[in-house]
Amino acid sequence: MATLFAKVAVVATLALGLLGATAETIGSVKPYAGELCGNYVDYPVWVPPGQTPETIEAGLVKERMSAEALKILPPNCLEPFMQYVCSSTFPRVENTTRGNEFLVRFGCKSTCQAVVKECAQLFQSVGKAALVPDCDQAIPSTKLSLPPNGVLFQPDDICNRVQAKSGGNGNGNGNGIGTGNQTGIPCAAPFIKDPMLGPGGTTTNEKFCMLGCCLPCPAQYHLYREGAIETGYKITDTMRAVSMVLSFILLISYMCLPDKRAHPSAMILFFSVCVFLFSVVVIFPLVNTRGMQCADLVNPSTQQNNTKCAIQGGILIFSCIGMASWCTAIILNLHMHTVWNSAWFSNKYWMLHILCWGYCIAVTAAALGMGEVKWEYSTLCLISQDKAPQMFFYPMAALVFPAFLVHIAT
Protein backbone atom coordinates (compact mmCIF):
# COMPACT_ATOMS: atom_id res chain seq x y z
CA MET A 1 0.00 0.00 0.00
CA ALA A 2 2.82 2.38 0.87
CA THR A 3 4.43 1.66 -2.49
CA LEU A 4 1.24 2.45 -4.37
CA PHE A 5 0.83 5.74 -2.60
CA ALA A 6 4.45 6.59 -3.15
CA LYS A 7 3.89 6.13 -6.88
CA VAL A 8 1.11 8.66 -7.00
CA ALA A 9 2.70 11.07 -4.71
CA VAL A 10 2.69 14.31 -5.64
CA VAL A 11 3.62 16.92 -3.23
CA ALA A 12 6.18 16.41 -0.56
CA THR A 13 3.85 17.66 2.13
CA LEU A 14 1.23 14.98 1.40
CA ALA A 15 2.85 12.56 3.83
CA LEU A 16 2.08 9.89 1.28
CA GLY A 17 4.50 11.62 -0.91
CA LEU A 18 7.79 10.55 -2.28
CA LEU A 19 8.89 12.11 -5.53
CA GLY A 20 10.24 9.66 -8.04
CA ALA A 21 7.19 8.12 -9.69
CA THR A 22 6.99 8.44 -13.44
CA ALA A 23 4.12 9.03 -15.81
CA GLU A 24 4.49 5.54 -17.23
CA THR A 25 4.29 3.75 -13.86
CA ILE A 26 1.26 5.52 -12.35
CA GLY A 27 -0.68 6.78 -15.32
CA SER A 28 0.06 9.35 -17.97
CA VAL A 29 0.28 13.05 -18.59
CA LYS A 30 -2.00 14.33 -21.32
CA PRO A 31 -3.00 17.72 -22.71
CA TYR A 32 -6.63 18.65 -22.12
CA ALA A 33 -8.63 19.49 -25.24
CA GLY A 34 -12.19 18.91 -24.08
CA GLU A 35 -15.16 21.28 -23.87
CA LEU A 36 -16.61 20.80 -20.39
CA CYS A 37 -13.64 22.28 -18.53
CA GLY A 38 -12.14 24.26 -21.41
CA ASN A 39 -12.57 27.47 -19.45
CA TYR A 40 -10.76 26.15 -16.39
CA VAL A 41 -8.11 23.64 -17.45
CA ASP A 42 -5.12 25.13 -19.29
CA TYR A 43 -2.46 22.74 -17.96
CA PRO A 44 -1.30 19.17 -18.55
CA VAL A 45 -3.53 16.74 -16.68
CA TRP A 46 -2.84 13.44 -15.00
CA VAL A 47 -5.03 10.55 -16.06
CA PRO A 48 -5.15 7.02 -14.60
CA PRO A 49 -3.74 4.07 -16.54
CA GLY A 50 -5.81 3.11 -19.56
CA GLN A 51 -7.74 6.39 -19.71
CA THR A 52 -7.58 9.68 -21.56
CA PRO A 53 -9.10 13.09 -20.84
CA GLU A 54 -11.64 12.35 -23.57
CA THR A 55 -12.86 9.11 -21.96
CA ILE A 56 -13.03 10.77 -18.55
CA GLU A 57 -15.09 13.66 -19.93
CA ALA A 58 -17.34 11.22 -21.80
CA GLY A 59 -18.05 9.56 -18.45
CA LEU A 60 -19.07 12.92 -16.96
CA VAL A 61 -21.38 13.63 -19.88
CA LYS A 62 -22.94 10.20 -19.43
CA GLU A 63 -23.70 11.21 -15.84
CA ARG A 64 -25.55 14.28 -17.17
CA MET A 65 -22.71 16.70 -16.54
CA SER A 66 -22.60 17.99 -20.09
CA ALA A 67 -22.12 21.68 -20.76
CA GLU A 68 -25.75 22.00 -21.86
CA ALA A 69 -27.09 20.29 -18.74
CA LEU A 70 -24.98 22.39 -16.38
CA LYS A 71 -26.04 25.69 -17.95
CA ILE A 72 -29.31 25.63 -16.03
CA LEU A 73 -27.51 25.91 -12.67
CA PRO A 74 -27.79 29.37 -11.08
CA PRO A 75 -24.52 31.34 -11.15
CA ASN A 76 -23.90 31.10 -7.41
CA CYS A 77 -23.81 27.29 -7.73
CA LEU A 78 -22.47 26.90 -11.26
CA GLU A 79 -19.07 28.54 -10.68
CA PRO A 80 -18.03 26.59 -7.53
CA PHE A 81 -19.43 23.38 -9.01
CA MET A 82 -17.39 23.78 -12.19
CA GLN A 83 -14.27 24.57 -10.17
CA TYR A 84 -14.86 21.43 -8.12
CA VAL A 85 -15.55 19.16 -11.10
CA CYS A 86 -12.64 20.41 -13.20
CA SER A 87 -10.02 20.62 -10.47
CA SER A 88 -10.79 17.21 -8.98
CA THR A 89 -11.44 15.32 -12.23
CA PHE A 90 -8.40 16.68 -14.06
CA PRO A 91 -5.51 16.93 -11.57
CA ARG A 92 -2.77 19.38 -12.48
CA VAL A 93 0.65 18.06 -13.51
CA GLU A 94 3.73 20.14 -12.70
CA ASN A 95 7.23 19.29 -13.83
CA THR A 96 10.07 18.91 -11.37
CA THR A 97 13.80 19.36 -11.72
CA ARG A 98 14.37 15.61 -11.48
CA GLY A 99 14.07 14.32 -15.01
CA ASN A 100 10.84 12.47 -15.78
CA GLU A 101 9.34 12.95 -12.34
CA PHE A 102 6.32 15.17 -11.87
CA LEU A 103 4.05 16.58 -9.24
CA VAL A 104 0.31 16.01 -9.29
CA ARG A 105 -1.95 18.41 -7.51
CA PHE A 106 -5.43 17.15 -6.68
CA GLY A 107 -8.68 19.00 -5.87
CA CYS A 108 -8.99 21.48 -2.99
CA LYS A 109 -11.03 20.76 0.10
CA SER A 110 -12.16 24.39 0.23
CA THR A 111 -13.52 24.10 -3.33
CA CYS A 112 -15.47 21.00 -2.31
CA GLN A 113 -16.86 22.81 0.72
CA ALA A 114 -17.97 25.72 -1.47
CA VAL A 115 -20.07 23.31 -3.55
CA VAL A 116 -21.72 21.91 -0.44
CA LYS A 117 -22.53 25.42 0.76
CA GLU A 118 -23.89 26.78 -2.53
CA CYS A 119 -25.39 23.74 -4.23
CA ALA A 120 -26.40 21.11 -1.64
CA GLN A 121 -29.91 22.41 -1.02
CA LEU A 122 -30.57 22.84 -4.74
CA PHE A 123 -29.34 19.35 -5.67
CA GLN A 124 -31.36 17.74 -2.87
CA SER A 125 -34.53 19.61 -3.86
CA VAL A 126 -34.36 18.30 -7.44
CA GLY A 127 -33.49 14.72 -6.46
CA LYS A 128 -29.78 14.96 -7.29
CA ALA A 129 -28.36 14.55 -3.80
CA ALA A 130 -25.72 12.17 -5.18
CA LEU A 131 -23.99 15.17 -6.77
CA VAL A 132 -23.26 16.68 -3.35
CA PRO A 133 -19.65 15.70 -2.51
CA ASP A 134 -18.41 14.42 0.84
CA CYS A 135 -15.39 16.60 1.47
CA ASP A 136 -14.00 14.31 4.18
CA GLN A 137 -13.84 11.32 1.87
CA ALA A 138 -11.53 10.55 -1.03
CA ILE A 139 -11.93 12.45 -4.30
CA PRO A 140 -14.44 10.38 -6.33
CA SER A 141 -12.26 10.29 -9.46
CA THR A 142 -9.38 8.71 -7.49
CA LYS A 143 -11.23 5.95 -5.66
CA LEU A 144 -10.99 3.41 -8.47
CA SER A 145 -7.76 4.54 -10.10
CA LEU A 146 -5.71 4.81 -6.90
CA PRO A 147 -6.67 1.89 -4.68
CA PRO A 148 -7.32 1.11 -1.98
CA ASN A 149 -8.71 4.40 -0.71
CA GLY A 150 -7.96 7.09 -3.27
CA VAL A 151 -6.68 10.58 -2.47
CA LEU A 152 -8.32 13.01 -0.06
CA PHE A 153 -9.17 16.58 -0.94
CA GLN A 154 -6.09 18.70 -0.36
CA PRO A 155 -5.29 21.85 1.66
CA ASP A 156 -5.27 25.16 -0.19
CA ASP A 157 -1.50 25.56 -0.25
CA ILE A 158 -0.83 22.33 -2.16
CA CYS A 159 -4.06 21.68 -4.10
CA ASN A 160 -5.16 22.23 -7.67
CA ARG A 161 -7.05 25.51 -7.53
CA VAL A 162 -8.66 26.58 -10.80
CA GLN A 163 -10.43 29.74 -11.90
CA ALA A 164 -12.43 30.63 -14.99
CA LYS A 165 -10.12 32.05 -17.65
CA SER A 166 -12.76 34.56 -18.82
CA GLY A 167 -15.29 36.61 -16.90
CA GLY A 168 -18.04 34.65 -15.15
CA ASN A 169 -18.48 31.18 -16.56
CA GLY A 170 -18.20 32.04 -20.23
CA ASN A 171 -15.25 31.25 -22.46
CA GLY A 172 -13.88 33.36 -25.23
CA ASN A 173 -12.65 30.33 -27.19
CA GLY A 174 -16.03 28.68 -27.31
CA ASN A 175 -15.38 26.05 -24.64
CA GLY A 176 -16.68 25.79 -21.12
CA ILE A 177 -19.98 26.78 -19.57
CA GLY A 178 -21.73 30.08 -20.16
CA THR A 179 -24.78 31.63 -18.52
CA GLY A 180 -25.74 33.92 -21.36
CA ASN A 181 -27.69 31.26 -23.25
CA GLN A 182 -29.88 29.98 -20.46
CA THR A 183 -33.05 30.92 -22.28
CA GLY A 184 -32.11 28.44 -24.98
CA ILE A 185 -32.02 25.44 -22.67
CA PRO A 186 -34.85 22.97 -23.34
CA CYS A 187 -37.08 22.28 -20.35
CA ALA A 188 -38.74 18.93 -19.68
CA ALA A 189 -42.54 18.92 -19.94
CA PRO A 190 -44.63 20.39 -18.45
CA PHE A 191 -42.03 23.08 -17.71
CA ILE A 192 -41.39 25.89 -20.17
CA LYS A 193 -38.42 28.18 -20.73
CA ASP A 194 -38.33 31.07 -18.28
CA PRO A 195 -39.57 34.13 -20.19
CA MET A 196 -38.53 36.38 -17.28
CA LEU A 197 -34.88 35.35 -17.05
CA GLY A 198 -32.86 38.32 -15.88
CA PRO A 199 -29.19 39.28 -16.07
CA GLY A 200 -26.78 36.61 -14.87
CA GLY A 201 -29.37 33.86 -15.20
CA THR A 202 -31.51 35.01 -12.27
CA THR A 203 -35.28 34.78 -12.58
CA THR A 204 -37.72 37.53 -11.74
CA ASN A 205 -40.31 34.97 -10.67
CA GLU A 206 -38.91 32.79 -7.90
CA LYS A 207 -42.34 31.38 -7.04
CA PHE A 208 -42.89 29.52 -10.31
CA CYS A 209 -39.42 29.51 -11.96
CA MET A 210 -36.08 27.88 -11.19
CA LEU A 211 -32.97 26.94 -13.16
CA GLY A 212 -34.20 28.61 -16.35
CA CYS A 213 -37.54 26.77 -16.44
CA CYS A 214 -41.02 27.68 -15.20
CA LEU A 215 -44.16 25.81 -14.26
CA PRO A 216 -46.78 27.13 -16.70
CA CYS A 217 -50.06 28.61 -15.56
CA PRO A 218 -52.48 27.23 -14.45
CA ALA A 219 -50.14 25.22 -12.22
CA GLN A 220 -52.97 23.08 -10.80
CA TYR A 221 -53.62 21.52 -14.19
CA HIS A 222 -50.37 19.58 -13.98
CA LEU A 223 -51.45 17.74 -10.83
CA TYR A 224 -54.06 15.76 -12.79
CA ARG A 225 -54.04 13.67 -15.91
CA GLU A 226 -54.07 15.71 -19.09
CA GLY A 227 -57.45 17.24 -19.88
CA ALA A 228 -59.19 15.98 -16.73
CA ILE A 229 -59.48 19.25 -14.84
CA GLU A 230 -60.36 21.22 -17.99
CA THR A 231 -63.28 18.85 -18.61
CA GLY A 232 -64.49 19.32 -15.04
CA TYR A 233 -64.38 23.09 -15.39
CA LYS A 234 -66.28 22.97 -18.68
CA ILE A 235 -69.05 20.92 -17.06
CA THR A 236 -69.41 23.23 -14.07
CA ASP A 237 -69.22 26.37 -16.23
CA THR A 238 -71.93 24.98 -18.51
CA MET A 239 -74.18 24.33 -15.51
CA ARG A 240 -73.54 27.85 -14.27
CA ALA A 241 -74.37 29.21 -17.72
CA VAL A 242 -77.74 27.44 -17.56
CA SER A 243 -78.24 28.93 -14.10
CA MET A 244 -77.40 32.37 -15.52
CA VAL A 245 -80.15 32.03 -18.15
CA LEU A 246 -82.74 30.86 -15.60
CA SER A 247 -81.82 33.61 -13.14
CA PHE A 248 -82.20 36.15 -15.94
CA ILE A 249 -85.70 34.85 -16.66
CA LEU A 250 -86.54 35.14 -12.96
CA LEU A 251 -85.19 38.70 -12.86
CA ILE A 252 -87.17 39.77 -15.93
CA SER A 253 -90.38 38.29 -14.52
CA TYR A 254 -90.02 40.22 -11.26
CA MET A 255 -89.21 43.40 -13.16
CA CYS A 256 -92.14 43.11 -15.56
CA LEU A 257 -94.97 41.83 -13.35
CA PRO A 258 -96.51 44.77 -11.41
CA ASP A 259 -97.28 42.93 -8.19
CA LYS A 260 -93.66 41.70 -8.01
CA ARG A 261 -92.33 45.26 -7.71
CA ALA A 262 -94.36 45.98 -4.58
CA HIS A 263 -93.58 45.09 -0.97
CA PRO A 264 -92.62 42.40 0.01
CA SER A 265 -91.88 40.92 -3.45
CA ALA A 266 -89.60 43.89 -4.16
CA MET A 267 -87.07 42.38 -1.75
CA ILE A 268 -87.03 39.21 -3.84
CA LEU A 269 -86.53 41.37 -6.94
CA PHE A 270 -83.37 42.88 -5.50
CA PHE A 271 -82.25 39.44 -4.34
CA SER A 272 -82.74 38.11 -7.89
CA VAL A 273 -80.58 40.96 -9.22
CA CYS A 274 -77.73 39.67 -7.03
CA VAL A 275 -78.36 36.07 -8.10
CA PHE A 276 -78.12 37.09 -11.76
CA LEU A 277 -74.90 39.04 -11.15
CA PHE A 278 -73.49 36.03 -9.32
CA SER A 279 -74.23 33.81 -12.32
CA VAL A 280 -73.24 36.22 -15.08
CA VAL A 281 -69.52 36.10 -14.21
CA VAL A 282 -69.40 32.68 -15.90
CA ILE A 283 -69.23 34.55 -19.21
CA PHE A 284 -65.56 35.36 -18.63
CA PRO A 285 -64.23 31.77 -18.41
CA LEU A 286 -66.68 30.54 -21.06
CA VAL A 287 -65.11 32.90 -23.58
CA ASN A 288 -61.48 32.26 -22.56
CA THR A 289 -60.82 30.08 -19.54
CA ARG A 290 -57.03 30.37 -19.43
CA GLY A 291 -57.24 34.07 -20.23
CA MET A 292 -59.29 34.42 -17.06
CA GLN A 293 -56.93 32.34 -14.94
CA CYS A 294 -53.56 33.56 -16.21
CA ALA A 295 -52.07 36.94 -17.04
CA ASP A 296 -49.36 35.33 -19.21
CA LEU A 297 -47.68 31.97 -19.71
CA VAL A 298 -46.54 31.73 -16.08
CA ASN A 299 -48.24 34.23 -13.77
CA PRO A 300 -51.76 33.67 -12.37
CA SER A 301 -54.23 36.51 -12.82
CA THR A 302 -54.55 39.27 -10.25
CA GLN A 303 -56.47 42.51 -10.34
CA GLN A 304 -53.15 44.25 -11.02
CA ASN A 305 -52.16 42.27 -14.13
CA ASN A 306 -55.55 41.27 -15.57
CA THR A 307 -58.46 43.72 -15.79
CA LYS A 308 -60.94 40.93 -16.47
CA CYS A 309 -59.94 39.32 -13.17
CA ALA A 310 -60.60 42.57 -11.30
CA ILE A 311 -64.03 42.97 -12.95
CA GLN A 312 -65.07 39.37 -12.36
CA GLY A 313 -63.85 39.42 -8.76
CA GLY A 314 -65.58 42.71 -8.01
CA ILE A 315 -68.91 41.48 -9.43
CA LEU A 316 -68.62 38.18 -7.58
CA ILE A 317 -67.90 39.79 -4.20
CA PHE A 318 -70.66 42.37 -4.67
CA SER A 319 -73.25 39.76 -5.66
CA CYS A 320 -72.39 37.33 -2.85
CA ILE A 321 -72.65 39.99 -0.16
CA GLY A 322 -75.76 41.34 -1.89
CA MET A 323 -77.50 37.95 -1.79
CA ALA A 324 -76.69 37.61 1.90
CA SER A 325 -77.89 41.16 2.62
CA TRP A 326 -81.23 40.94 0.82
CA CYS A 327 -81.86 37.39 2.07
CA THR A 328 -81.38 38.69 5.61
CA ALA A 329 -83.85 41.49 4.90
CA ILE A 330 -86.40 38.97 3.57
CA ILE A 331 -86.04 36.82 6.70
CA LEU A 332 -86.37 39.83 9.02
CA ASN A 333 -89.48 40.98 7.15
CA LEU A 334 -90.97 37.48 7.41
CA HIS A 335 -90.28 37.48 11.15
CA MET A 336 -91.89 40.89 11.64
CA HIS A 337 -94.95 39.92 9.60
CA THR A 338 -95.42 36.40 11.03
CA VAL A 339 -94.55 36.90 14.69
CA TRP A 340 -95.44 40.56 15.24
CA ASN A 341 -98.00 41.08 12.46
CA SER A 342 -96.08 44.18 11.40
CA ALA A 343 -95.26 45.60 7.96
CA TRP A 344 -92.53 47.78 9.38
CA PHE A 345 -90.26 47.40 6.31
CA SER A 346 -92.94 48.44 3.81
CA ASN A 347 -92.04 52.12 4.09
CA LYS A 348 -88.38 51.66 5.02
CA TYR A 349 -86.94 50.77 1.63
CA TRP A 350 -84.70 53.84 1.66
CA MET A 351 -83.03 52.34 4.74
CA LEU A 352 -82.82 48.86 3.17
CA HIS A 353 -81.14 50.26 0.07
CA ILE A 354 -78.59 52.16 2.13
CA LEU A 355 -77.82 49.19 4.38
CA CYS A 356 -77.87 46.36 1.81
CA TRP A 357 -76.27 48.04 -1.20
CA GLY A 358 -73.99 50.09 1.03
CA TYR A 359 -72.69 46.95 2.74
CA CYS A 360 -72.04 45.31 -0.65
CA ILE A 361 -70.17 48.35 -1.92
CA ALA A 362 -68.10 48.67 1.26
CA VAL A 363 -66.90 45.05 1.24
CA THR A 364 -66.18 45.09 -2.50
CA ALA A 365 -64.34 48.41 -2.31
CA ALA A 366 -62.22 47.16 0.60
CA ALA A 367 -61.15 44.04 -1.32
CA LEU A 368 -60.31 45.93 -4.50
CA GLY A 369 -58.72 48.80 -2.61
CA MET A 370 -56.33 46.45 -0.82
CA GLY A 371 -55.48 44.68 -4.08
CA GLU A 372 -56.53 41.27 -2.81
CA VAL A 373 -58.58 40.06 -5.79
CA LYS A 374 -56.79 37.27 -7.68
CA TRP A 375 -57.26 33.88 -9.30
CA GLU A 376 -56.21 30.90 -7.19
CA TYR A 377 -58.58 28.04 -8.09
CA SER A 378 -61.43 27.01 -10.41
CA THR A 379 -62.21 29.63 -13.07
CA LEU A 380 -63.08 32.50 -10.73
CA CYS A 381 -61.19 35.48 -9.40
CA LEU A 382 -62.04 36.18 -5.78
CA ILE A 383 -60.35 37.48 -2.64
CA SER A 384 -57.04 35.74 -1.97
CA GLN A 385 -57.18 32.74 0.33
CA ASP A 386 -55.00 34.51 2.90
CA LYS A 387 -57.43 37.40 3.27
CA ALA A 388 -60.72 35.70 2.38
CA PRO A 389 -61.82 34.94 5.98
CA GLN A 390 -61.37 38.50 7.21
CA MET A 391 -62.56 40.30 4.08
CA PHE A 392 -65.27 37.97 2.72
CA PHE A 393 -66.47 35.17 4.97
CA TYR A 394 -66.60 37.10 8.25
CA PRO A 395 -68.62 39.99 6.72
CA MET A 396 -70.96 37.44 5.19
CA ALA A 397 -71.21 35.48 8.45
CA ALA A 398 -72.22 38.71 10.22
CA LEU A 399 -75.41 38.55 8.13
CA VAL A 400 -75.96 34.82 7.73
CA PHE A 401 -75.77 33.65 11.36
CA PRO A 402 -78.15 36.26 12.86
CA ALA A 403 -80.58 35.67 9.96
CA PHE A 404 -80.42 31.91 10.58
CA LEU A 405 -81.21 32.38 14.28
CA VAL A 406 -84.09 34.72 13.51
CA HIS A 407 -85.46 32.26 10.98
CA ILE A 408 -85.31 29.41 13.54
CA ALA A 409 -87.09 31.65 16.05
CA THR A 410 -89.77 32.51 13.49
Side-chain angles (χ1 to χ4, degrees):
M1 180 175 70
T3 303
L4 288 172
F5 274 103
K7 287 181 179 180
V8 221
V10 293
V11 185
T13 54
L14 286 182
L16 303 171
L18 295 175
L19 297 177
T22 66
E24 291 75 22
T25 57
I26 64 170
S28 58
V29 180
K30 301 285 185 180
Y32 176 82
E35 294 185 358
L36 181 63
C37 294
N39 197 32
Y40 298 86
V41 178
D42 57 358
Y43 51 80
V45 301
W46 174 85
V47 295
Q51 296 194 43
T52 66
E54 291 75 18
T55 59
I56 294 174
E57 186 160 309
L60 293 177
V61 173
K62 187 177 180 180
E63 295 175 6
R64 300 190 62 80
M65 289 191 193
S66 65
E68 289 298 310
L70 292 174
K71 282 179 184 177
I72 65 174
L73 292 178
N76 65 309
C77 171
L78 176 59
E79 179 63 21
F81 188 72
M82 290 306 302
Q83 292 179 9
Y84 158 73
V85 170
C86 296
S87 65
S88 60
T89 305
F90 300 106
R92 181 191 301 268
V93 173
E94 297 180 356
N95 293 326
T96 73
T97 59
R98 297 178 58 183
N100 64 350
E101 296 172 357
F102 57 82
L103 296 171
V104 181
R105 297 188 183 274
F106 291 94
C108 306
K109 187 170 186 177
S110 60
T111 302
C112 175
Q113 292 169 335
V115 173
V116 175
K117 178 181 178 182
E118 300 293 342
C119 305
Q121 184 175 0
L122 171 62
F123 289 160
Q124 291 167 357
S125 66
V126 297
K128 299 293 182 181
L131 293 178
V132 182
D134 186 342
C135 303
D136 294 321
Q137 298 296 318
I139 299 172
S141 61
T142 68
K143 289 182 179 180
L144 296 178
S145 57
L146 299 175
N149 299 316
V151 175
L152 296 175
F153 289 97
Q154 302 299 302
D156 285 352
D157 56 342
I158 59 173
C159 69
N160 178 28
R161 181 172 294 279
V162 299
Q163 296 290 337
K165 291 185 290 183
S166 59
N169 300 309
N171 191 341
N173 60 16
N175 295 328
I177 306 292
T179 59
N181 190 34
Q182 288 200 26
T183 55
I185 300 301
C187 299
F191 298 96
I192 61 174
K193 290 184 293 184
D194 188 351
M196 296 155 287
L197 205 63
T202 57
T203 182
T204 57
N205 190 337
E206 296 182 353
K207 185 174 182 180
F208 297 101
C209 301
M210 186 178 186
L211 304 180
C213 298
C214 299
L215 182 63
C217 178
Q220 291 92 326
Y221 281 26
H222 309 292
L223 300 176
Y224 303 85
R225 70 179 185 274
E226 186 175 357
I229 196 167
E230 293 97 324
T231 302
Y233 287 157
K234 287 180 181 178
I235 293 172
T236 56
D237 286 344
T238 301
M239 295 173 64
R240 292 178 62 210
V242 173
S243 176
M244 177 189 68
V245 174
L246 297 177
S247 65
F248 180 71
I249 295 173
L250 176 65
L251 173 62
I252 293 299
S253 67
Y254 269 82
M255 292 178 66
C256 295
L257 297 175
D259 61 324
K260 299 299 182 182
R261 298 196 300 269
H263 177 79
S265 296
M267 293 183 181
I268 302 178
L269 168 61
F270 301 129
F271 176 80
S272 66
V273 170
C274 296
V275 172
F276 174 70
L277 290 175
F278 176 80
S279 302
V280 81
V281 295
V282 75
I283 292 176
F284 292 97
L286 277 178
V287 174
N288 185 358
T289 301
R290 287 179 181 264
M292 189 68 250
Q293 298 166 320
C294 307
D296 50 43
L297 292 175
V298 176
N299 291 295
S301 294
T302 67
Q303 67 177 80
Q304 291 82 11
N305 61 25
N306 191 337
T307 303
K308 292 184 295 183
C309 180
I311 296 173
Q312 186 197 52
I315 295 175
L316 195 57
I317 296 168
F318 181 89
S319 60
C320 288
I321 301 299
M323 286 190 292
S325 299
W326 284 106
C327 186
T328 299
I330 292 171
I331 291 174
L332 290 176
N333 178 73
L334 176 65
H335 177 79
M336 296 293 293
H337 176 75
T338 304
V339 178
W340 305 101
N341 194 27
S342 171
W344 188 79
F345 284 108
S346 61
N347 58 355
K348 301 291 191 302
Y349 271 78
W350 60 269
M351 180 183 69
L352 289 175
H353 285 302
I354 293 175
L355 293 177
C356 293
W357 298 126
Y359 195 56
C360 300
I361 294 171
V363 175
T364 305
L368 292 172
M370 296 182 66
E372 292 295 335
V373 174
K374 61 179 65 176
W375 176 83
E376 291 182 311
Y377 50 86
S378 185
T379 58
L380 302 174
C381 284
L382 196 59
I383 300 175
S384 65
Q385 295 185 43
D386 293 337
K387 298 295 183 180
Q390 301 92 324
M391 300 182 66
F392 184 72
F393 293 111
Y394 293 165
M396 189 178 294
L399 298 172
V400 172
F401 288 131
F404 174 76
L405 295 176
V406 171
H407 192 60
I408 294 298
T410 302

